[in-house]
Amino acid sequence: MTDILAFVSWYLVISVIGAAAFPIAFRFLPRLADKGYAFSKPLGLLVWGFIFWLLGSLGVLQNDLGGEIIAFVLFLLISFLLMRKGQAKALAEWISGHWKTLLRTEIVFLVFFALWTVVRAANPDATYTEKPMELAFINSILKSPTFPPHDPWLSGYAISYYYFGYVIVAMLIRITGVLSGVGFNLTAAMWFAMTAAGAYGLVYDLLKQYLLHKHPSEITNKRFPAQGALLGPLFLVIAGNLEGLLEVLYARGLFWKADGTSKFWSWLQVAELDTAPVMPASWLPNRPAGWLWWRGSRVIQDTSALGARIEIIDEFPFFSYLLSDLHPHVLAMPFSLLAIAMCLNLFIRGMEEPIRDWSLRKWIRSWEFWLAALILGVMGFLNTWNFPIYVVLFCLTAAFLRVHWLGWSWKRLWEFLGMGITFALTGVLLFAPFYVGFRSQAGGFLPSLEFVTRGINYWIMFGVLLIPIFGWIIHLIVREKSRKNLPQGIFVGILFVFGLWVISLLVGVLIYNFEPWGTVLSQNGSPVLANLGLKMVAASQAFSVYIHGGVNGAVVLSEAISRHFQSPGTWITLLVLIALSWALIAGHAFQKDRVAVEDPETTTAQRADMKPFVLLLILLGALLSLFPEVFYLRDQFGTRMNTIFKFYFETWVVWAMAAAFASAVLLAEGRKISGALFRILWVVLIFCSLLYPAIMILNKTNNFNPAKWTLDGNAWLAQVQPDEAEAITWLGRQPMGVVSEAVGGSYTPESEWASIQTGFPTVLGWPGHEGQWRGGATEMGSRQTDLQTLYSTHSWEEAQAILRTYQIRYVFIGFNERSTYQVYDQKFSDHLTPAFQNGTVTIYQIPEALLQATP
């Protein structure tokens, strides 16, 4: 009953937030068919969260319930001011005439919210992977009096991570009064629902505009937009990649010989599926190795020049929600759709109204610009990888419109770059308090060289989206006879695919030659040049040894060239996709005639053709997945893992919207034999894409048969370690202070329980992650060894010095501490009285006087 009440409270709160934000959406997204209603919930969270965070960062508001309420009042005031001058009446009239549109969107949201709440209740534990980290961040924000919040795993420092999503989550937990463990799982369910509703709304807006642009005889089904919009959630958050199909084939033992060998499975090179299956054969996957559902996010792998396999992350939305880590790429999803919707609104406006007099300088003075800057800028604070992606989409949209009305000139390129720089600078300015204290592991970009994505693995990942997309593009080329721009498209495709690849090779050659050139410079008499030379030598050696295993540069470059042509599937796919998309975009850019139709639901009779915008989404996705083939972000992993992870994920987002639109159009317009063949292929494709979610949701939830139905992600600890849970509950009710506890490894539930569940800062936790967040171990210093000394030393004086150094208020001695260190607790009991003690846990509270005393 408590969980049901929590679900209801969250639904009511998000409904109020969405209702409060709808006037803003109505005012700034007027060209969308639903006036932005599908995006009002994330828009409301964004505006409310931004006001609360910014004023909290400036010291105007406290990070507490009162501060949240004041921020919400300011948010309501903004909505109220936007309803002046007849806007309130216009909004009421529109709602009266379009309540069915709002109801359909709300039903989608509620159904997906309820569905995923049940899934999370069947698999609620906030353990393993990065759930402990995310829960620690949320609880830390709940306990921090101001912003930036303290780092729960590095006492004395603030969080060095893009944490805005966790601020929003903490706000919802505080305003609804639920336990943080319950809020953790409700957040996963709510974000799943907001993403589904956003996908529904976006595809509805696209199809509605598309229908209005068509001749009435071409699509006679007037419910076409509402029905076709359901394909948005299907492709974005329900469909999986084709690894689910592979699991079924593998379980059946297909393509395996009696001696346990298989050319097919060896050729696929998907880990765990390249070893002989366990017999007897089954229709349901039954691999005993690892987590069955995990493999879907690892269908792509790299091979080093030495032949070693390198794991690559290739998550897709359903996997991410099934995993239910509240990682930034998941928390950013509804806001990414909001950004796409904003770009769509700009596109429709620009296609309906000439923008020959559009001045960027004039636009900056408008509220529309600052809302766009807020939506794009928050990407850097939600999931930094998304910031440049959606700035590029917005600028591509604007550039297309400029070319459409003014024609092509090199001035268009400078406008594109100028707009991108403007939004980049404005986005940083709006969230300046975050960037002031932000540190990153990013260290530039490296050429991919021998790391090549094989075509078969790429199609396993994206085939469910690429088939409808290619089908629709071919449909356009054949039906519209859009072939005159194909030579230009092929040239652009070659320019991108081969031009960037050649640049990548040249950069690789350059870095390898840093060593001899740097050696010469290091012997120069000038200190500046000598220092530069030493850095060049170090960079070249790191590139050669750390990235490429010490393999000779000539061998690496030879492998890069040979693998590129031995495994051409991915770059051929992208070359064709870029070429065809560009050709069609170019054809539409110079086509100024628009179909006029009478539309009683809108105030204008001229409607924009949606095809160019969908093609822009396709082009953006192609460029995103091309980038890791030539360059990747340099980080502590030294591989393409993170770059492919983040870029492929956003590729799925934009391509899912394109695939949903393409499928709806082809299913509605398909004629005769070609239409029938596509429908058959489409049904087979969707069936194959649904194998992964159908099988893996049962696997992950133990066939919806949990040990206990609950939404509390922290409940597991009371079941396995009741004394620890009791102690942590007591600790969470005390005044906040630094707590010492055992340092554990990343991704596991066997460490940092106190800081995770209370939000109190601990001296050190998950050192590997701290190093990633801060680009090194400088801030960690000797903390790990100091903690070991604190627990194991027999000297009270030595322990006192460590307590004072880190201002430790609570010494936690429980299961993890005793299993990690040789704890000598007599030194504590001789000088302190336990503040809490039960069967296996003791907590000592250090007096303030002792922490301030001079040794």
Side-chain angles (χ1 to χ4, degrees), residues 183-262:
F184 186 92
N185 284 312
L186 284 173
T187 297
M190 181 182 288
W191 257 247
F192 184 72
M194 286 197 298
T195 303
Y200 175 87
L202 190 60
V203 178
Y204 175 81
D205 292 331
L206 287 168
L207 294 177
K208 184 67 174 178
Q209 295 290 340
Y210 182 79
L211 179 63
L212 295 172
H213 190 266
K214 301 295 287 183
H215 191 277
S217 64
E218 293 184 82
I219 300 179
T220 58
N221 180 12
K222 299 307 178 184
R223 296 180 180 178
F224 163 71
Q227 293 172 353
L230 292 172
L231 299 180
L234 172 66
F235 278 100
L236 183 55
V237 297
I238 298 178
N241 64 23
L242 299 180
E243 196 271 343
L245 173 63
L246 296 181
E247 291 283 3
V248 173
L249 299 178
Y250 180 84
R252 291 299 302 164
L254 297 179
F255 312 120
W256 287 96
K257 295 181 180 179
D259 62 357
T261 61
S262 171

Side-chain angles (χ1 to χ4, degrees), residues 141-328:
I141 292 169
L142 287 168
K143 287 291 173 66
S144 297
T146 58
F147 295 117
H150 63 256
D151 189 330
W153 288 342
L154 196 70
S155 60
Y157 289 87
I159 292 176
S160 180
Y161 199 60
Y162 21 95
Y163 63 85
F164 186 63
Y166 304 114
V167 170
I168 295 175
V169 174
M171 291 170 65
L172 290 170
I173 289 172
R174 184 183 284 132
I175 204 77
T176 57
V178 302
L179 297 172
S180 62
V182 174
F184 186 92
N185 284 312
L186 284 173
T187 297
M190 181 182 288
W191 257 247
F192 184 72
M194 286 197 298
T195 303
Y200 175 87
L202 190 60
V203 178
Y204 175 81
D205 292 331
L206 287 168
L207 294 177
K208 184 67 174 178
Q209 295 290 340
Y210 182 79
L211 179 63
L212 295 172
H213 190 266
K214 301 295 287 183
H215 191 277
S217 64
E218 293 184 82
I219 300 179
T220 58
N221 180 12
K222 299 307 178 184
R223 296 180 180 178
F224 163 71
Q227 293 172 353
L230 292 172
L231 299 180
L234 172 66
F235 278 100
L236 183 55
V237 297
I238 298 178
N241 64 23
L242 299 180
E243 196 271 343
L245 173 63
L246 296 181
E247 291 283 3
V248 173
L249 299 178
Y250 180 84
R252 291 299 302 164
L254 297 179
F255 312 120
W256 287 96
K257 295 181 180 179
D259 62 357
T261 61
S262 171
K263 290 183 179 180
F264 173 76
W265 294 102
S266 297
W267 169 65
L268 284 182
Q269 295 183 17
V270 176
E272 296 180 10
L273 301 183
D274 54 1
T275 57
V278 177
M279 291 297 174
S282 168
W283 280 109
L284 288 177
N286 56 2
R287 285 189 297 107
W291 291 334
L292 183 65
W293 50 272
W294 185 260
R295 187 48 47 195
S297 68
R298 303 297 191 274
V299 298
I300 292 171
Q301 66 177 11
D302 277 342
T303 305
S304 72
L306 294 172
R309 289 186 173 185
I310 302 172
E311 183 178 86
I312 298 297
I313 301 174
D314 46 71
E315 288 191 24
F316 51 95
F318 181 84
F319 171 89
S320 298
Y321 280 111
L322 184 64
L323 175 63
S324 282
D325 279 4
L326 298 185
H327 211 265

Side-chain angles (χ1 to χ4, degrees), residues 531-551:
N531 185 52
L532 175 62
L534 291 173
K535 289 183 178 179
M536 290 174 65
V537 170
S540 182
Q541 290 177 346
F543 184 68
S544 173
V545 176
Y546 180 57
I547 304 297
H548 299 289
V551 177

Side-chain angles (χ1 to χ4, degrees), residues 67-78:
E68 286 187 22
I69 293 173
I70 293 172
F72 191 78
V73 170
L74 294 174
F75 164 41
L76 287 176
L77 180 61
I78 293 173

